[in-house]
Amino acid sequence: MDVVRIRRELLEYLLELARDFYPNEFAGFLREKDGVFEEILIAPNPHFGRSSAFFDTWMLPYDESIKGTVHSHPGPSPRPSRADLHFFSKFGGVHLIIAYPFTEEDVRAYLSNGEEVRIEVVE
């Protein structure tokens, strides 16, 4: 996979969520339809803190359209932490990180092995 495709409307909503939760992190799961991320799903009973976000993946419904995750970093680095890489390796799919100050340029996408991939925003 060389590129991750995401609807502009969803990307703008994710940026807004990151700003709203700041200085805490937020996290969610991304639903894909026809190769494009279109929706976010927040797991039940999440914990969004200043240095981490936690949710119980066992609480998620069975949903084959969930193909990725998203979370914010309250600092300026969009690079995955060790904890992020550990989670990526367990969950699979594509993982978006949105760093402060939460603009489109502050979003990065990674595969489960930590490899960065390009993001394509579609209308």
Side-chain angles (χ1 to χ4, degrees):
M1 173 185 299
D2 317 56
V3 65
V4 172
R5 300 176 74 216
I6 185 170
R7 291 260 176 246
R8 175 162 304 284
E9 183 179 13
L10 175 59
L11 179 59
E12 289 172 359
Y13 181 61
L14 296 175
L15 294 170
E16 184 179 315
L17 282 173
R19 289 183 204 110
D20 288 348
F21 277 93
Y22 180 81
N24 293 331
E25 291 190 11
F26 92 93
F29 294 88
L30 297 171
R31 285 186 168 141
E32 182 184 79
K33 181 179 179 187
D34 299 325
V36 179
F37 285 121
E38 295 197 348
E39 294 180 338
I40 182 173
L41 174 68
I42 305 293
N45 301 317
H47 166 75
F48 300 145
R50 288 183 184 250
S51 61
S52 67
F54 173 80
F55 39 78
D56 187 350
T57 56
W58 292 103
M59 298 293 288
L60 285 174
Y62 178 73
D63 185 340
E64 289 187 3
S65 70
I66 296 174
K67 302 291 184 184
T69 69
V70 59
H71 76 278
S72 63
H73 280 182
S77 174
R79 305 296 306 166
S81 67
R82 280 194 174 157
D84 292 339
L85 291 171
H86 179 74
F87 176 75
F88 293 177
S89 73
K90 300 295 182 199
F91 191 76
V94 174
H95 308 276
L96 300 184
I97 296 178
I98 306 171
Y100 180 84
F102 315 120
T103 68
E104 197 171 314
E105 293 75 33
D106 302 307
V107 182
R108 300 290 185 278
Y110 302 93
L111 300 178
S112 60
N113 64 3
E115 176 187 346
E116 187 173 348
V117 292
R118 190 171 64 85
I119 299 171
E120 178 185 340
V121 181
V122 296
E123 298 302 323

